[in-house]
mmCIF file of all heavy atoms in Angstrom:
data_model
loop_
_atom_site.group_PDB
_atom_site.id
_atom_site.type_symbol
_atom_site.label_atom_id
_atom_site.label_comp_id
_atom_site.label_asym_id
_atom_site.label_seq_id
_atom_site.Cartn_x
_atom_site.Cartn_y
_atom_site.Cartn_z
ATOM 1 N N GLY A 1 97.737 90.203 97.940
ATOM 2 C CA GLY A 1 98.529 91.271 97.298
ATOM 3 C C GLY A 1 97.782 92.384 96.577
ATOM 4 O O GLY A 1 96.512 92.211 96.443
ATOM 5 N N TRP A 2 98.411 93.424 96.396
ATOM 6 C CA TRP A 2 97.895 94.621 95.556
ATOM 7 C C TRP A 2 98.781 94.701 94.311
ATOM 8 O O TRP A 2 100.017 94.745 94.344
ATOM 9 C CB TRP A 2 97.932 95.833 96.359
ATOM 10 C CG TRP A 2 96.858 95.927 97.426
ATOM 11 C CD1 TRP A 2 97.182 95.510 98.812
ATOM 12 C CD2 TRP A 2 95.530 96.365 97.263
ATOM 13 N NE1 TRP A 2 95.902 95.786 99.374
ATOM 14 C CE2 TRP A 2 95.044 96.160 98.526
ATOM 15 C CE3 TRP A 2 94.735 96.692 96.232
ATOM 16 C CZ2 TRP A 2 93.556 96.386 98.817
ATOM 17 C CZ3 TRP A 2 93.400 97.010 96.556
ATOM 18 C CH2 TRP A 2 92.846 96.996 97.786
ATOM 19 N N TYR A 3 98.113 94.860 93.144
ATOM 20 C CA TYR A 3 98.764 95.283 91.901
ATOM 21 C C TYR A 3 98.093 96.625 91.413
ATOM 22 O O TYR A 3 97.029 97.114 92.010
ATOM 23 C CB TYR A 3 98.334 94.115 90.907
ATOM 24 C CG TYR A 3 99.134 92.925 90.898
ATOM 25 C CD1 TYR A 3 98.878 91.995 91.969
ATOM 26 C CD2 TYR A 3 100.044 92.505 90.032
ATOM 27 C CE1 TYR A 3 99.612 90.790 92.041
ATOM 28 C CE2 TYR A 3 100.830 91.345 90.076
ATOM 29 C CZ TYR A 3 100.483 90.461 91.159
ATOM 30 O OH TYR A 3 101.243 89.410 91.237
ATOM 31 N N ARG A 4 98.732 97.195 90.463
ATOM 32 C CA ARG A 4 98.197 98.414 89.863
ATOM 33 C C ARG A 4 98.465 98.350 88.375
ATOM 34 O O ARG A 4 99.492 97.867 87.922
ATOM 35 C CB ARG A 4 98.818 99.633 90.614
ATOM 36 C CG ARG A 4 100.303 99.902 90.377
ATOM 37 C CD ARG A 4 100.699 101.048 91.133
ATOM 38 N NE ARG A 4 102.129 101.407 90.956
ATOM 39 C CZ ARG A 4 102.726 102.348 91.626
ATOM 40 N NH1 ARG A 4 102.185 102.937 92.619
ATOM 41 N NH2 ARG A 4 104.026 102.411 91.366
ATOM 42 N N GLN A 5 97.637 99.105 87.732
ATOM 43 C CA GLN A 5 97.743 99.211 86.171
ATOM 44 C C GLN A 5 97.537 100.704 85.777
ATOM 45 O O GLN A 5 96.511 101.143 85.992
ATOM 46 C CB GLN A 5 96.913 98.294 85.414
ATOM 47 C CG GLN A 5 97.344 98.320 83.986
ATOM 48 C CD GLN A 5 96.624 97.131 83.200
ATOM 49 O OE1 GLN A 5 95.594 96.453 83.745
ATOM 50 N NE2 GLN A 5 97.061 96.788 82.007
ATOM 51 N N ALA A 6 98.605 101.402 85.400
ATOM 52 C CA ALA A 6 98.484 102.795 84.949
ATOM 53 C C ALA A 6 98.005 102.675 83.547
ATOM 54 O O ALA A 6 98.318 101.663 82.774
ATOM 55 C CB ALA A 6 99.680 103.479 85.032
ATOM 56 N N LEU A 7 97.456 103.726 83.117
ATOM 57 C CA LEU A 7 97.001 103.794 81.586
ATOM 58 C C LEU A 7 98.075 103.640 80.676
ATOM 59 O O LEU A 7 99.204 104.205 80.745
ATOM 60 C CB LEU A 7 96.401 105.155 81.408
ATOM 61 C CG LEU A 7 95.554 105.323 80.207
ATOM 62 C CD1 LEU A 7 94.270 104.354 80.287
ATOM 63 C CD2 LEU A 7 95.020 106.728 79.953
ATOM 64 N N GLY A 8 98.056 102.623 79.844
ATOM 65 C CA GLY A 8 99.008 102.351 78.789
ATOM 66 C C GLY A 8 100.117 101.510 79.307
ATOM 67 O O GLY A 8 101.223 101.335 78.510
ATOM 68 N N LYS A 9 100.108 101.065 80.541
ATOM 69 C CA LYS A 9 101.230 100.375 81.069
ATOM 70 C C LYS A 9 100.722 98.904 81.533
ATOM 71 O O LYS A 9 99.505 98.611 81.655
ATOM 72 C CB LYS A 9 101.827 101.027 82.291
ATOM 73 C CG LYS A 9 102.485 102.390 81.829
ATOM 74 C CD LYS A 9 103.253 102.885 83.126
ATOM 75 C CE LYS A 9 104.036 104.209 82.705
ATOM 76 N NZ LYS A 9 104.815 104.736 83.763
ATOM 77 N N GLN A 10 101.703 98.010 81.788
ATOM 78 C CA GLN A 10 101.390 96.639 82.210
ATOM 79 C C GLN A 10 101.087 96.717 83.722
ATOM 80 O O GLN A 10 101.467 97.524 84.564
ATOM 81 C CB GLN A 10 102.498 95.724 81.989
ATOM 82 C CG GLN A 10 102.723 95.375 80.426
ATOM 83 C CD GLN A 10 103.689 94.335 80.303
ATOM 84 O OE1 GLN A 10 104.596 94.168 81.183
ATOM 85 N NE2 GLN A 10 103.543 93.520 79.317
ATOM 86 N N ARG A 11 100.178 95.763 84.152
ATOM 87 C CA ARG A 11 99.806 95.599 85.489
ATOM 88 C C ARG A 11 101.132 95.100 86.286
ATOM 89 O O ARG A 11 102.001 94.279 85.771
ATOM 90 C CB ARG A 11 98.817 94.482 85.681
ATOM 91 C CG ARG A 11 98.247 94.489 87.104
ATOM 92 C CD ARG A 11 96.964 93.586 87.129
ATOM 93 N NE ARG A 11 95.852 93.937 86.208
ATOM 94 C CZ ARG A 11 94.655 93.362 86.345
ATOM 95 N NH1 ARG A 11 94.488 92.408 87.095
ATOM 96 N NH2 ARG A 11 93.794 93.843 85.524
ATOM 97 N N GLU A 12 101.298 95.708 87.502
ATOM 98 C CA GLU A 12 102.652 95.492 88.242
ATOM 99 C C GLU A 12 102.215 95.293 89.614
ATOM 100 O O GLU A 12 101.293 95.767 90.140
ATOM 101 C CB GLU A 12 103.531 96.724 88.090
ATOM 102 C CG GLU A 12 103.006 97.933 88.740
ATOM 103 C CD GLU A 12 104.117 99.120 88.760
ATOM 104 O OE1 GLU A 12 105.225 98.729 88.406
ATOM 105 O OE2 GLU A 12 103.684 100.151 89.122
ATOM 106 N N LEU A 13 102.985 94.462 90.303
ATOM 107 C CA LEU A 13 102.858 94.043 91.720
ATOM 108 C C LEU A 13 103.288 95.265 92.552
ATOM 109 O O LEU A 13 104.321 95.696 92.343
ATOM 110 C CB LEU A 13 103.697 92.819 91.989
ATOM 111 C CG LEU A 13 103.755 92.389 93.411
ATOM 112 C CD1 LEU A 13 102.399 92.008 93.977
ATOM 113 C CD2 LEU A 13 104.749 91.258 93.703
ATOM 114 N N VAL A 14 102.368 95.588 93.485
ATOM 115 C CA VAL A 14 102.802 96.707 94.304
ATOM 116 C C VAL A 14 103.232 96.147 95.707
ATOM 117 O O VAL A 14 104.330 96.612 96.201
ATOM 118 C CB VAL A 14 101.529 97.703 94.578
ATOM 119 C CG1 VAL A 14 101.827 98.708 95.590
ATOM 120 C CG2 VAL A 14 101.065 98.167 93.207
ATOM 121 N N ALA A 15 102.513 95.185 96.340
ATOM 122 C CA ALA A 15 102.897 94.710 97.449
ATOM 123 C C ALA A 15 102.214 93.318 97.744
ATOM 124 O O ALA A 15 101.119 93.202 97.152
ATOM 125 C CB ALA A 15 102.425 95.632 98.620
ATOM 126 N N ARG A 16 102.727 92.470 98.527
ATOM 127 C CA ARG A 16 102.196 91.166 98.787
ATOM 128 C C ARG A 16 102.615 90.674 100.131
ATOM 129 O O ARG A 16 103.709 90.993 100.650
ATOM 130 C CB ARG A 16 102.635 90.198 97.767
ATOM 131 C CG ARG A 16 102.088 88.773 98.045
ATOM 132 C CD ARG A 16 102.331 87.767 96.976
ATOM 133 N NE ARG A 16 101.867 88.214 95.664
ATOM 134 C CZ ARG A 16 100.566 88.024 95.254
ATOM 135 N NH1 ARG A 16 99.683 87.546 96.161
ATOM 136 N NH2 ARG A 16 100.142 88.359 94.061
ATOM 137 N N ILE A 17 101.695 90.066 100.849
ATOM 138 C CA ILE A 17 102.078 89.436 102.084
ATOM 139 C C ILE A 17 102.374 87.965 101.819
ATOM 140 O O ILE A 17 101.657 87.236 101.285
ATOM 141 C CB ILE A 17 100.876 89.343 103.081
ATOM 142 C CG1 ILE A 17 100.324 90.759 103.340
ATOM 143 C CG2 ILE A 17 101.151 88.676 104.354
ATOM 144 C CD1 ILE A 17 98.984 90.875 104.100
ATOM 145 N N ILE A 18 103.652 87.651 102.148
ATOM 146 C CA ILE A 18 104.227 86.314 101.858
ATOM 147 C C ILE A 18 103.884 85.354 103.082
ATOM 148 O O ILE A 18 103.378 84.329 102.879
ATOM 149 C CB ILE A 18 105.688 86.420 101.761
ATOM 150 C CG1 ILE A 18 106.106 87.455 100.622
ATOM 151 C CG2 ILE A 18 106.261 84.964 101.336
ATOM 152 C CD1 ILE A 18 105.436 87.087 99.273
ATOM 153 N N ASN A 19 104.206 85.862 104.254
ATOM 154 C CA ASN A 19 103.969 85.036 105.504
ATOM 155 C C ASN A 19 103.988 86.043 106.598
ATOM 156 O O ASN A 19 104.098 87.250 106.494
ATOM 157 C CB ASN A 19 104.989 83.894 105.562
ATOM 158 C CG ASN A 19 106.485 84.286 105.581
ATOM 159 O OD1 ASN A 19 106.749 85.343 106.183
ATOM 160 N ND2 ASN A 19 107.322 83.758 104.885
ATOM 161 N N VAL A 20 103.983 85.428 107.879
ATOM 162 C CA VAL A 20 103.820 86.334 109.019
ATOM 163 C C VAL A 20 104.905 87.344 109.124
ATOM 164 O O VAL A 20 104.883 88.421 109.725
ATOM 165 C CB VAL A 20 103.689 85.497 110.273
ATOM 166 C CG1 VAL A 20 104.888 84.643 110.566
ATOM 167 C CG2 VAL A 20 103.266 86.314 111.475
ATOM 168 N N ARG A 21 106.164 86.965 108.578
ATOM 169 C CA ARG A 21 107.335 87.778 108.871
ATOM 170 C C ARG A 21 107.726 88.419 107.444
ATOM 171 O O ARG A 21 108.675 89.330 107.535
ATOM 172 C CB ARG A 21 108.563 86.915 109.284
ATOM 173 C CG ARG A 21 108.457 86.686 110.751
ATOM 174 C CD ARG A 21 109.701 85.844 111.299
ATOM 175 N NE ARG A 21 109.750 84.601 110.654
ATOM 176 C CZ ARG A 21 109.161 83.490 111.194
ATOM 177 N NH1 ARG A 21 108.510 83.641 112.328
ATOM 178 N NH2 ARG A 21 109.302 82.409 110.604
ATOM 179 N N THR A 22 107.056 88.168 106.362
ATOM 180 C CA THR A 22 107.688 88.656 105.139
ATOM 181 C C THR A 22 106.571 89.397 104.226
ATOM 182 O O THR A 22 105.603 88.719 104.035
ATOM 183 C CB THR A 22 108.291 87.481 104.330
ATOM 184 O OG1 THR A 22 109.150 86.803 105.136
ATOM 185 C CG2 THR A 22 108.963 87.996 103.028
ATOM 186 N N THR A 23 106.962 90.525 103.876
ATOM 187 C CA THR A 23 106.129 91.262 102.933
ATOM 188 C C THR A 23 107.024 91.669 101.741
ATOM 189 O O THR A 23 108.238 91.864 101.987
ATOM 190 C CB THR A 23 105.353 92.442 103.505
ATOM 191 O OG1 THR A 23 106.315 93.276 104.175
ATOM 192 C CG2 THR A 23 104.323 92.029 104.443
ATOM 193 N N HIS A 24 106.514 91.788 100.565
ATOM 194 C CA HIS A 24 107.236 92.268 99.452
ATOM 195 C C HIS A 24 106.614 93.469 98.950
ATOM 196 O O HIS A 24 105.477 93.569 98.764
ATOM 197 C CB HIS A 24 107.209 91.218 98.329
ATOM 198 C CG HIS A 24 107.866 91.666 97.100
ATOM 199 N ND1 HIS A 24 109.124 91.660 96.775
ATOM 200 C CD2 HIS A 24 107.247 92.126 95.915
ATOM 201 C CE1 HIS A 24 109.325 92.154 95.582
ATOM 202 N NE2 HIS A 24 108.203 92.403 95.029
ATOM 203 N N TYR A 25 107.546 94.419 98.605
ATOM 204 C CA TYR A 25 107.015 95.763 97.960
ATOM 205 C C TYR A 25 107.843 96.071 96.703
ATOM 206 O O TYR A 25 108.982 95.830 96.652
ATOM 207 C CB TYR A 25 107.270 96.790 99.002
ATOM 208 C CG TYR A 25 106.419 96.764 100.213
ATOM 209 C CD1 TYR A 25 106.966 96.237 101.409
ATOM 210 C CD2 TYR A 25 105.213 97.372 100.181
ATOM 211 C CE1 TYR A 25 106.118 96.069 102.458
ATOM 212 C CE2 TYR A 25 104.379 97.245 101.415
ATOM 213 C CZ TYR A 25 104.858 96.632 102.515
ATOM 214 O OH TYR A 25 104.091 96.642 103.687
ATOM 215 N N ALA A 26 107.153 96.648 95.787
ATOM 216 C CA ALA A 26 107.882 97.188 94.666
ATOM 217 C C ALA A 26 108.749 98.206 95.120
ATOM 218 O O ALA A 26 108.583 99.042 95.993
ATOM 219 C CB ALA A 26 106.860 97.765 93.688
ATOM 220 N N ASP A 27 109.993 98.314 94.523
ATOM 221 C CA ASP A 27 110.870 99.386 94.871
ATOM 222 C C ASP A 27 110.224 100.684 94.868
ATOM 223 O O ASP A 27 110.670 101.615 95.772
ATOM 224 C CB ASP A 27 112.079 99.370 93.902
ATOM 225 C CG ASP A 27 112.970 98.115 94.097
ATOM 226 O OD1 ASP A 27 112.803 97.409 95.144
ATOM 227 O OD2 ASP A 27 113.777 97.755 93.210
ATOM 228 N N SER A 28 109.418 101.026 93.976
ATOM 229 C CA SER A 28 108.916 102.386 93.794
ATOM 230 C C SER A 28 107.931 102.840 95.004
ATOM 231 O O SER A 28 107.794 103.983 95.101
ATOM 232 C CB SER A 28 108.072 102.583 92.516
ATOM 233 O OG SER A 28 107.017 101.501 92.387
ATOM 234 N N VAL A 29 107.491 101.882 95.771
ATOM 235 C CA VAL A 29 106.597 102.095 96.816
ATOM 236 C C VAL A 29 107.173 101.957 98.305
ATOM 237 O O VAL A 29 106.520 102.194 99.255
ATOM 238 C CB VAL A 29 105.206 101.558 96.664
ATOM 239 C CG1 VAL A 29 104.696 101.661 95.371
ATOM 240 C CG2 VAL A 29 105.340 99.954 97.030
ATOM 241 N N LYS A 30 108.430 101.325 98.330
ATOM 242 C CA LYS A 30 108.992 100.963 99.566
ATOM 243 C C LYS A 30 109.133 102.226 100.371
ATOM 244 O O LYS A 30 109.501 103.304 99.885
ATOM 245 C CB LYS A 30 110.377 100.377 99.278
ATOM 246 C CG LYS A 30 110.299 98.895 98.924
ATOM 247 C CD LYS A 30 111.724 98.372 98.739
ATOM 248 C CE LYS A 30 111.621 96.936 98.343
ATOM 249 N NZ LYS A 30 112.996 96.291 98.087
ATOM 250 N N GLY A 31 108.770 102.046 101.626
ATOM 251 C CA GLY A 31 108.797 103.170 102.613
ATOM 252 C C GLY A 31 107.705 104.143 102.670
ATOM 253 O O GLY A 31 107.499 104.946 103.460
ATOM 254 N N ARG A 32 106.737 103.944 101.591
ATOM 255 C CA ARG A 32 105.597 104.837 101.529
ATOM 256 C C ARG A 32 104.271 104.054 101.605
ATOM 257 O O ARG A 32 103.345 104.569 102.174
ATOM 258 C CB ARG A 32 105.555 105.549 100.083
ATOM 259 C CG ARG A 32 106.696 106.392 99.972
ATOM 260 C CD ARG A 32 106.643 107.192 98.615
ATOM 261 N NE ARG A 32 106.497 106.396 97.397
ATOM 262 C CZ ARG A 32 105.377 106.383 96.501
ATOM 263 N NH1 ARG A 32 104.387 107.149 96.877
ATOM 264 N NH2 ARG A 32 105.442 105.596 95.532
ATOM 265 N N PHE A 33 104.268 102.820 101.145
ATOM 266 C CA PHE A 33 103.135 101.966 101.244
ATOM 267 C C PHE A 33 103.226 100.770 102.314
ATOM 268 O O PHE A 33 104.384 100.263 102.390
ATOM 269 C CB PHE A 33 102.721 101.334 99.928
ATOM 270 C CG PHE A 33 102.333 102.250 98.793
ATOM 271 C CD1 PHE A 33 102.360 103.624 98.993
ATOM 272 C CD2 PHE A 33 101.890 101.751 97.628
ATOM 273 C CE1 PHE A 33 102.055 104.527 97.950
ATOM 274 C CE2 PHE A 33 101.488 102.409 96.619
ATOM 275 C CZ PHE A 33 101.605 103.892 96.677
ATOM 276 N N THR A 34 102.249 100.458 102.913
ATOM 277 C CA THR A 34 102.181 99.308 103.805
ATOM 278 C C THR A 34 101.017 98.448 103.574
ATOM 279 O O THR A 34 99.863 98.904 103.585
ATOM 280 C CB THR A 34 102.167 99.818 105.238
ATOM 281 O OG1 THR A 34 103.313 100.786 105.556
ATOM 282 C CG2 THR A 34 102.285 98.630 106.250
ATOM 283 N N ILE A 35 101.211 97.209 103.411
ATOM 284 C CA ILE A 35 100.197 96.195 103.353
ATOM 285 C C ILE A 35 99.956 95.538 104.565
ATOM 286 O O ILE A 35 100.872 95.292 105.277
ATOM 287 C CB ILE A 35 100.543 95.102 102.170
ATOM 288 C CG1 ILE A 35 99.334 94.263 101.784
ATOM 289 C CG2 ILE A 35 101.804 94.263 102.535
ATOM 290 C CD1 ILE A 35 99.475 93.387 100.600
ATOM 291 N N SER A 36 98.720 95.298 104.913
ATOM 292 C CA SER A 36 98.354 94.531 106.044
ATOM 293 C C SER A 36 97.066 93.725 105.948
ATOM 294 O O SER A 36 96.492 93.953 104.873
ATOM 295 C CB SER A 36 98.183 95.481 107.329
ATOM 296 O OG SER A 36 97.040 96.448 106.992
#
């Protein structure tokens, strides 16, 4: 997976590959980011 941490904020999950059919995205990046 990928996480990110902005200045002054907590680290948050951006995207993760769960299995061959399932990926998880933070709501803020859905439709814009793709993990592979």
Side-chain angles (χ1 to χ4, degrees):
W2 288 93
Y3 284 71
R4 68 185 180 187
Q5 187 167 18
L7 197 62
K9 295 187 177 181
Q10 288 188 329
R11 190 172 298 189
E12 63 174 355
L13 176 64
V14 176
R16 179 173 300 284
I17 301 173
I18 307 298
N19 55 46
V20 65
R21 284 182 291 273
T22 307
T23 51
H24 172 80
Y25 294 95
D27 288 342
S28 58
V29 307
K30 282 180 181 177
R32 300 188 298 121
F33 290 11
T34 302
I35 189 171
S36 62

